[in-house]
Structures are given as C-alpha cells and as structure tokens.
Amino acid sequence: MALKIRLARGGAKKRPFYRIVVADSRSPRDGRFIDRLGSYDPLKAKDAADRVVLDVEKAKAWLARGAQPTDRVLRFLDAAGVLKRPARNNPKKGEPGQKARERAAAAAEAAAAAAGEEASA
C-alpha cells in the first residue's frame, strides 16, 4: 500500500482549510485517511504561528514507515526541520515567449528607425 502525506481540503466555499493527513494514495483527496498529522490555514498571515500546525513526531514515524509527502507538505516538513527539500531551478521559466520576443524586436526596430530619422534631420 502506497502511503502519502498530503492535504485534505475542508472549509467553506472560498474559505479553504486543510488537514495534513496520511492516506492511501488511491483514496480520494477528501476521503478516507489513516492518521491526522496537523492542519494548514492558508488564510492566516504567513508569519502566524498557527498557520501550519504539525505533529513532528508523528510525521517522522510515518516517514520511517515509507510514507511519501506531496510537494506542499514537503515544504512544511522542510520548514519544521524534518526533511530537506531539494532546491529547484528552472532557468527557462523567466524567458519571454515567442510573441513577446517578436514584439520586443519590432519595438527595437521602430526605435532604431526613429533614431535614424532624428539623426538625418
């Protein structure tokens, strides 16, 4: 049985609240879970102490049994000092797309043409 440490959504519409749970990977997101490890309230301030409540000892025990955390839960475990989250690097993400490059080239040509007309006048 593949175990996941993941978020289960609760709360009202447009007012999310998540429980951090250990569940079988085949069970539904908000469905059956094995153990509850804590909670996460994204509506609270980022520096609020009770934004993420996590039972670190339970988390360590489940990780020792082979449970795999999801990306978001891995961030919480890294902040708590339980696991180390590997750094990611996507240098292509910041590059402009094809259309933006075409617009920039057209703008550069127009600026060069305008500068050429001013120099000859």
Side-chain angles (χ1 to χ4, degrees), residues 57-78:
E57 296 305 316
K58 275 188 181 180
K60 286 180 182 177
W62 280 108
L63 289 168
R65 292 184 202 171
Q68 295 295 315
T70 59
D71 290 339
R72 177 58 54 181
V73 173
L74 186 58
R75 283 178 179 262
F76 301 150
L77 293 173
D78 186 28

PDB file of all heavy atoms in Angstrom, residues 57-78:
ATOM      1  N   GLU A  57       6.589  14.510  15.549  1.00  0.00           N
ATOM      2  CA  GLU A  57       6.921  13.130  15.926  1.00  0.00           C
ATOM      3  C   GLU A  57       6.122  12.124  15.101  1.00  0.00           C
ATOM      4  O   GLU A  57       6.657  11.115  14.648  1.00  0.00           O
ATOM      5  CB  GLU A  57       6.681  12.921  17.422  1.00  0.00           C
ATOM      6  CG  GLU A  57       7.564  13.764  18.306  1.00  0.00           C
ATOM      7  CD  GLU A  57       9.050  13.567  17.996  1.00  0.00           C
ATOM      8  OE1 GLU A  57       9.487  12.414  17.813  1.00  0.00           O
ATOM      9  OE2 GLU A  57       9.772  14.587  17.934  1.00  0.00           O
ATOM     10  N   LYS A  58       4.828  12.393  14.906  1.00  0.00           N
ATOM     11  CA  LYS A  58       4.008  11.506  14.071  1.00  0.00           C
ATOM     12  C   LYS A  58       4.515  11.514  12.635  1.00  0.00           C
ATOM     13  O   LYS A  58       4.560  10.473  11.981  1.00  0.00           O
ATOM     14  CB  LYS A  58       2.545  11.951  14.084  1.00  0.00           C
ATOM     15  CG  LYS A  58       1.730  11.432  15.223  1.00  0.00           C
ATOM     16  CD  LYS A  58       0.275  11.799  14.963  1.00  0.00           C
ATOM     17  CE  LYS A  58      -0.638  11.354  16.052  1.00  0.00           C
ATOM     18  NZ  LYS A  58      -2.028  11.720  15.769  1.00  0.00           N
ATOM     19  N   ALA A  59       4.886  12.689  12.147  1.00  0.00           N
ATOM     20  CA  ALA A  59       5.377  12.801  10.774  1.00  0.00           C
ATOM     21  C   ALA A  59       6.649  11.979  10.592  1.00  0.00           C
ATOM     22  O   ALA A  59       6.790  11.254   9.597  1.00  0.00           O
ATOM     23  CB  ALA A  59       5.624  14.258  10.411  1.00  0.00           C
ATOM     24  N   LYS A  60       7.559  12.066  11.538  1.00  0.00           N
ATOM     25  CA  LYS A  60       8.798  11.282  11.456  1.00  0.00           C
ATOM     26  C   LYS A  60       8.497   9.790  11.459  1.00  0.00           C
ATOM     27  O   LYS A  60       9.124   9.021  10.734  1.00  0.00           O
ATOM     28  CB  LYS A  60       9.724  11.635  12.617  1.00  0.00           C
ATOM     29  CG  LYS A  60      10.399  12.972  12.481  1.00  0.00           C
ATOM     30  CD  LYS A  60      11.305  13.236  13.679  1.00  0.00           C
ATOM     31  CE  LYS A  60      11.955  14.593  13.589  1.00  0.00           C
ATOM     32  NZ  LYS A  60      12.772  14.892  14.770  1.00  0.00           N
ATOM     33  N   ALA A  61       7.536   9.389  12.296  1.00  0.00           N
ATOM     34  CA  ALA A  61       7.179   7.967  12.376  1.00  0.00           C
ATOM     35  C   ALA A  61       6.609   7.483  11.041  1.00  0.00           C
ATOM     36  O   ALA A  61       6.962   6.392  10.566  1.00  0.00           O
ATOM     37  CB  ALA A  61       6.181   7.740  13.496  1.00  0.00           C
ATOM     38  N   TRP A  62       5.735   8.271  10.419  1.00  0.00           N
ATOM     39  CA  TRP A  62       5.144   7.858   9.144  1.00  0.00           C
ATOM     40  C   TRP A  62       6.171   7.872   8.016  1.00  0.00           C
ATOM     41  O   TRP A  62       6.134   7.023   7.127  1.00  0.00           O
ATOM     42  CB  TRP A  62       3.941   8.726   8.798  1.00  0.00           C
ATOM     43  CG  TRP A  62       2.723   8.306   9.539  1.00  0.00           C
ATOM     44  CD1 TRP A  62       2.121   8.951  10.559  1.00  0.00           C
ATOM     45  CD2 TRP A  62       1.971   7.102   9.334  1.00  0.00           C
ATOM     46  NE1 TRP A  62       1.038   8.249  11.004  1.00  0.00           N
ATOM     47  CE2 TRP A  62       0.918   7.099  10.267  1.00  0.00           C
ATOM     48  CE3 TRP A  62       2.082   6.032   8.464  1.00  0.00           C
ATOM     49  CZ2 TRP A  62      -0.004   6.070  10.342  1.00  0.00           C
ATOM     50  CZ3 TRP A  62       1.159   5.005   8.537  1.00  0.00           C
ATOM     51  CH2 TRP A  62       0.132   5.032   9.473  1.00  0.00           C
ATOM     52  N   LEU A  63       7.099   8.820   8.055  1.00  0.00           N
ATOM     53  CA  LEU A  63       8.158   8.838   7.041  1.00  0.00           C
ATOM     54  C   LEU A  63       9.052   7.610   7.189  1.00  0.00           C
ATOM     55  O   LEU A  63       9.510   7.044   6.188  1.00  0.00           O
ATOM     56  CB  LEU A  63       8.984  10.118   7.158  1.00  0.00           C
ATOM     57  CG  LEU A  63       8.264  11.387   6.717  1.00  0.00           C
ATOM     58  CD1 LEU A  63       9.055  12.609   7.142  1.00  0.00           C
ATOM     59  CD2 LEU A  63       8.037  11.378   5.216  1.00  0.00           C
ATOM     60  N   ALA A  64       9.289   7.182   8.421  1.00  0.00           N
ATOM     61  CA  ALA A  64      10.089   5.977   8.661  1.00  0.00           C
ATOM     62  C   ALA A  64       9.381   4.734   8.129  1.00  0.00           C
ATOM     63  O   ALA A  64      10.040   3.770   7.728  1.00  0.00           O
ATOM     64  CB  ALA A  64      10.373   5.820  10.147  1.00  0.00           C
ATOM     65  N   ARG A  65       8.061   4.769   8.111  1.00  0.00           N
ATOM     66  CA  ARG A  65       7.284   3.630   7.583  1.00  0.00           C
ATOM     67  C   ARG A  65       7.165   3.668   6.059  1.00  0.00           C
ATOM     68  O   ARG A  65       6.559   2.778   5.470  1.00  0.00           O
ATOM     69  CB  ARG A  65       5.884   3.622   8.172  1.00  0.00           C
ATOM     70  CG  ARG A  65       5.847   3.324   9.632  1.00  0.00           C
ATOM     71  CD  ARG A  65       4.424   3.229  10.105  1.00  0.00           C
ATOM     72  NE  ARG A  65       4.354   3.457  11.542  1.00  0.00           N
ATOM     73  CZ  ARG A  65       3.231   3.601  12.197  1.00  0.00           C
ATOM     74  NH1 ARG A  65       2.090   3.563  11.562  1.00  0.00           N
ATOM     75  NH2 ARG A  65       3.248   3.798  13.491  1.00  0.00           N
ATOM     76  N   GLY A  66       7.663   4.722   5.419  1.00  0.00           N
ATOM     77  CA  GLY A  66       7.665   4.764   3.962  1.00  0.00           C
ATOM     78  C   GLY A  66       6.655   5.695   3.333  1.00  0.00           C
ATOM     79  O   GLY A  66       6.473   5.671   2.116  1.00  0.00           O
ATOM     80  N   ALA A  67       5.991   6.520   4.107  1.00  0.00           N
ATOM     81  CA  ALA A  67       5.023   7.464   3.541  1.00  0.00           C
ATOM     82  C   ALA A  67       5.769   8.552   2.766  1.00  0.00           C
ATOM     83  O   ALA A  67       6.809   9.042   3.210  1.00  0.00           O
ATOM     84  CB  ALA A  67       4.184   8.088   4.642  1.00  0.00           C
ATOM     85  N   GLN A  68       5.237   8.927   1.605  1.00  0.00           N
ATOM     86  CA  GLN A  68       5.846   9.940   0.761  1.00  0.00           C
ATOM     87  C   GLN A  68       5.060  11.242   0.858  1.00  0.00           C
ATOM     88  O   GLN A  68       3.859  11.257   0.602  1.00  0.00           O
ATOM     89  CB  GLN A  68       5.859   9.475  -0.705  1.00  0.00           C
ATOM     90  CG  GLN A  68       6.731   8.267  -0.954  1.00  0.00           C
ATOM     91  CD  GLN A  68       8.194   8.575  -0.714  1.00  0.00           C
ATOM     92  OE1 GLN A  68       8.697   9.596  -1.151  1.00  0.00           O
ATOM     93  NE2 GLN A  68       8.861   7.687   0.001  1.00  0.00           N
ATOM     94  N   PRO A  69       5.713  12.358   1.196  1.00  0.00           N
ATOM     95  CA  PRO A  69       4.984  13.636   1.266  1.00  0.00           C
ATOM     96  C   PRO A  69       4.781  14.234  -0.119  1.00  0.00           C
ATOM     97  O   PRO A  69       5.595  14.032  -1.022  1.00  0.00           O
ATOM     98  CB  PRO A  69       5.903  14.509   2.114  1.00  0.00           C
ATOM     99  CG  PRO A  69       7.265  13.960   1.893  1.00  0.00           C
ATOM    100  CD  PRO A  69       7.085  12.478   1.666  1.00  0.00           C
ATOM    101  N   THR A  70       3.699  14.974  -0.284  1.00  0.00           N
ATOM    102  CA  THR A  70       3.482  15.719  -1.519  1.00  0.00           C
ATOM    103  C   THR A  70       4.367  16.964  -1.489  1.00  0.00           C
ATOM    104  O   THR A  70       4.994  17.267  -0.474  1.00  0.00           O
ATOM    105  CB  THR A  70       2.009  16.132  -1.663  1.00  0.00           C
ATOM    106  OG1 THR A  70       1.647  16.928  -0.543  1.00  0.00           O
ATOM    107  CG2 THR A  70       1.096  14.924  -1.762  1.00  0.00           C
ATOM    108  N   ASP A  71       4.416  17.696  -2.587  1.00  0.00           N
ATOM    109  CA  ASP A  71       5.293  18.866  -2.672  1.00  0.00           C
ATOM    110  C   ASP A  71       4.974  19.903  -1.599  1.00  0.00           C
ATOM    111  O   ASP A  71       5.868  20.447  -0.953  1.00  0.00           O
ATOM    112  CB  ASP A  71       5.192  19.522  -4.048  1.00  0.00           C
ATOM    113  CG  ASP A  71       5.802  18.671  -5.140  1.00  0.00           C
ATOM    114  OD1 ASP A  71       6.635  17.803  -4.812  1.00  0.00           O
ATOM    115  OD2 ASP A  71       5.456  18.876  -6.322  1.00  0.00           O
ATOM    116  N   ARG A  72       3.708  20.215  -1.414  1.00  0.00           N
ATOM    117  CA  ARG A  72       3.323  21.236  -0.436  1.00  0.00           C
ATOM    118  C   ARG A  72       3.654  20.777   0.979  1.00  0.00           C
ATOM    119  O   ARG A  72       4.167  21.548   1.788  1.00  0.00           O
ATOM    120  CB  ARG A  72       1.825  21.534  -0.574  1.00  0.00           C
ATOM    121  CG  ARG A  72       1.278  22.510   0.405  1.00  0.00           C
ATOM    122  CD  ARG A  72       1.934  23.872   0.399  1.00  0.00           C
ATOM    123  NE  ARG A  72       1.955  24.488  -0.901  1.00  0.00           N
ATOM    124  CZ  ARG A  72       2.500  25.675  -1.155  1.00  0.00           C
ATOM    125  NH1 ARG A  72       3.050  26.368  -0.174  1.00  0.00           N
ATOM    126  NH2 ARG A  72       2.501  26.172  -2.352  1.00  0.00           N
ATOM    127  N   VAL A  73       3.377  19.524   1.298  1.00  0.00           N
ATOM    128  CA  VAL A  73       3.668  19.016   2.634  1.00  0.00           C
ATOM    129  C   VAL A  73       5.177  18.944   2.847  1.00  0.00           C
ATOM    130  O   VAL A  73       5.669  19.196   3.953  1.00  0.00           O
ATOM    131  CB  VAL A  73       2.998  17.646   2.855  1.00  0.00           C
ATOM    132  CG1 VAL A  73       3.420  17.033   4.166  1.00  0.00           C
ATOM    133  CG2 VAL A  73       1.488  17.786   2.814  1.00  0.00           C
ATOM    134  N   LEU A  74       5.929  18.672   1.792  1.00  0.00           N
ATOM    135  CA  LEU A  74       7.384  18.654   1.902  1.00  0.00           C
ATOM    136  C   LEU A  74       7.916  20.028   2.284  1.00  0.00           C
ATOM    137  O   LEU A  74       8.872  20.151   3.042  1.00  0.00           O
ATOM    138  CB  LEU A  74       8.013  18.174   0.589  1.00  0.00           C
ATOM    139  CG  LEU A  74       9.516  17.967   0.583  1.00  0.00           C
ATOM    140  CD1 LEU A  74       9.935  16.966   1.658  1.00  0.00           C
ATOM    141  CD2 LEU A  74       9.982  17.503  -0.779  1.00  0.00           C
ATOM    142  N   ARG A  75       7.266  21.088   1.797  1.00  0.00           N
ATOM    143  CA  ARG A  75       7.642  22.454   2.200  1.00  0.00           C
ATOM    144  C   ARG A  75       7.439  22.636   3.707  1.00  0.00           C
ATOM    145  O   ARG A  75       8.277  23.224   4.386  1.00  0.00           O
ATOM    146  CB  ARG A  75       6.786  23.490   1.472  1.00  0.00           C
ATOM    147  CG  ARG A  75       7.186  23.726   0.054  1.00  0.00           C
ATOM    148  CD  ARG A  75       6.227  24.727  -0.576  1.00  0.00           C
ATOM    149  NE  ARG A  75       6.603  25.002  -1.930  1.00  0.00           N
ATOM    150  CZ  ARG A  75       7.317  26.066  -2.309  1.00  0.00           C
ATOM    151  NH1 ARG A  75       7.721  26.938  -1.408  1.00  0.00           N
ATOM    152  NH2 ARG A  75       7.636  26.258  -3.561  1.00  0.00           N
ATOM    153  N   PHE A  76       6.319  22.140   4.225  1.00  0.00           N
ATOM    154  CA  PHE A  76       6.046  22.261   5.657  1.00  0.00           C
ATOM    155  C   PHE A  76       7.058  21.460   6.475  1.00  0.00           C
ATOM    156  O   PHE A  76       7.535  21.926   7.514  1.00  0.00           O
ATOM    157  CB  PHE A  76       4.638  21.778   5.993  1.00  0.00           C
ATOM    158  CG  PHE A  76       3.540  22.519   5.287  1.00  0.00           C
ATOM    159  CD1 PHE A  76       2.356  21.882   4.971  1.00  0.00           C
ATOM    160  CD2 PHE A  76       3.678  23.847   4.935  1.00  0.00           C
ATOM    161  CE1 PHE A  76       1.329  22.553   4.330  1.00  0.00           C
ATOM    162  CE2 PHE A  76       2.657  24.532   4.292  1.00  0.00           C
ATOM    163  CZ  PHE A  76       1.486  23.879   3.988  1.00  0.00           C
ATOM    164  N   LEU A  77       7.384  20.249   6.013  1.00  0.00           N
ATOM    165  CA  LEU A  77       8.345  19.410   6.727  1.00  0.00           C
ATOM    166  C   LEU A  77       9.737  20.028   6.695  1.00  0.00           C
ATOM    167  O   LEU A  77      10.491  19.930   7.657  1.00  0.00           O
ATOM    168  CB  LEU A  77       8.354  18.004   6.133  1.00  0.00           C
ATOM    169  CG  LEU A  77       7.070  17.196   6.322  1.00  0.00           C
ATOM    170  CD1 LEU A  77       7.152  15.897   5.547  1.00  0.00           C
ATOM    171  CD2 LEU A  77       6.796  16.941   7.784  1.00  0.00           C
ATOM    172  N   ASP A  78      10.074  20.681   5.586  1.00  0.00           N
ATOM    173  CA  ASP A  78      11.368  21.358   5.482  1.00  0.00           C
ATOM    174  C   ASP A  78      11.422  22.531   6.459  1.00  0.00           C
ATOM    175  O   ASP A  78      12.431  22.750   7.133  1.00  0.00           O
ATOM    176  CB  ASP A  78      11.588  21.837   4.048  1.00  0.00           C
ATOM    177  CG  ASP A  78      12.972  22.430   3.839  1.00  0.00           C
ATOM    178  OD1 ASP A  78      13.904  22.036   4.558  1.00  0.00           O
ATOM    179  OD2 ASP A  78      13.121  23.284   2.939  1.00  0.00           O
TER     180      ASP A  78
END
